[in-house]
Amino acid sequence: MTNNDIFKKLRVALMLRDDQIVEILELVDFRITKSELGAFFRDEKHENYMECGDQVLRNFLNGLVIHLRGTKENPKNPNDVLAKHKAQIPVKDPTKERKEFKAKPRDEEKSRGDEAPSKTSAAKKPSKKQYPKGNAKVQVVEKVKYNFGKNKKS
């Protein structure tokens, strides 16, 4: 088991966010950025993946002991700290139901699977626009004469 696997499992088991891990590492005067920390949790095939070194894992474990137990002068109860972590995680409301999207059919008879749609409600083809006789629309293509690369005969 690699250091990255240990680090990932600790993160999940303790329900820690990246900013909390940075704070834990600062307890033992070890500074690391969130982006450097994120490199440890990437997939091994990712170009920005970085192997977690022994020094990082050692400092994290030492900081975790201080974070959970406290110091001799200021001891803490680890269960209280873990309960505080759980309280910070937003809980989804299971009673709130999500609306399911259902596409409405255009024609109710088309949606019935037991019968074929009647001929009266069959989809009609859209008719072409009718222009009044005095205002006939002239196609632009009709105005242009193409020579297709041939010289004009005069």
Side-chain angles (χ1 to χ4, degrees):
M1 183 177 262
T2 65
N3 288 349
N4 286 44
D5 295 334
I6 295 168
F7 206 36
K8 287 177 187 177
K9 289 185 183 215
L10 282 170
R11 178 186 183 201
V12 171
L14 297 172
M15 295 175 274
L16 296 172
R17 296 186 318 261
D18 288 345
D19 56 337
Q20 291 173 327
I21 293 173
V22 170
E23 290 174 9
I24 289 171
L25 287 169
E26 286 179 357
L27 291 174
V28 289
D29 295 327
F30 188 82
R31 308 236 184 305
I32 192 168
T33 63
K34 285 185 185 180
S35 58
E36 289 174 322
L37 189 62
F40 301 141
F41 301 118
R42 294 184 188 276
D43 187 33
E44 292 178 8
K45 297 173 187 172
H46 194 276
E47 63 183 32
N48 294 337
Y49 171 77
M50 200 167 79
E51 188 69 31
C52 176
D54 293 339
Q55 183 182 9
V56 175
L57 186 60
R58 182 180 68 244
N59 282 308
F60 174 70
L61 292 173
N62 289 335
L64 190 61
V65 168
I66 294 171
H67 178 71
L68 292 176
R69 294 183 190 168
T71 59
K72 285 184 179 180
E73 297 82 31
N74 188 13
K76 295 180 185 176
N77 185 356
N79 290 331
D80 294 340
V81 175
L82 293 175
K84 181 180 171 185
H85 286 213
K86 285 184 181 181
Q88 290 178 347
I89 298 173
V91 180
K92 293 183 180 177
D93 189 10
T95 59
K96 184 179 178 184
E97 292 187 23
R98 217 175 106 192
K99 290 185 178 180
E100 293 294 326
F101 175 76
K102 292 184 181 180
K104 294 181 180 178
R106 289 187 175 184
D107 189 3
E108 291 178 10
E109 289 186 12
K110 286 184 183 178
S111 66
R112 294 189 309 198
D114 58 344
E115 297 178 15
S118 63
K119 293 180 182 179
T120 58
S121 68
K124 297 179 181 178
K125 292 182 181 177
S127 60
K128 294 182 180 179
K129 289 186 177 180
Q130 299 294 326
Y131 293 99
K133 290 183 181 180
N135 188 14
K137 188 171 182 181
V138 180
Q139 295 292 331
V140 176
V141 180
E142 294 175 356
K143 294 181 181 178
V144 179
K145 182 177 179 184
Y146 293 100
N147 292 331
F148 299 108
K150 297 179 184 176
N151 294 332
K152 294 182 181 179
K153 294 181 182 178
S154 27

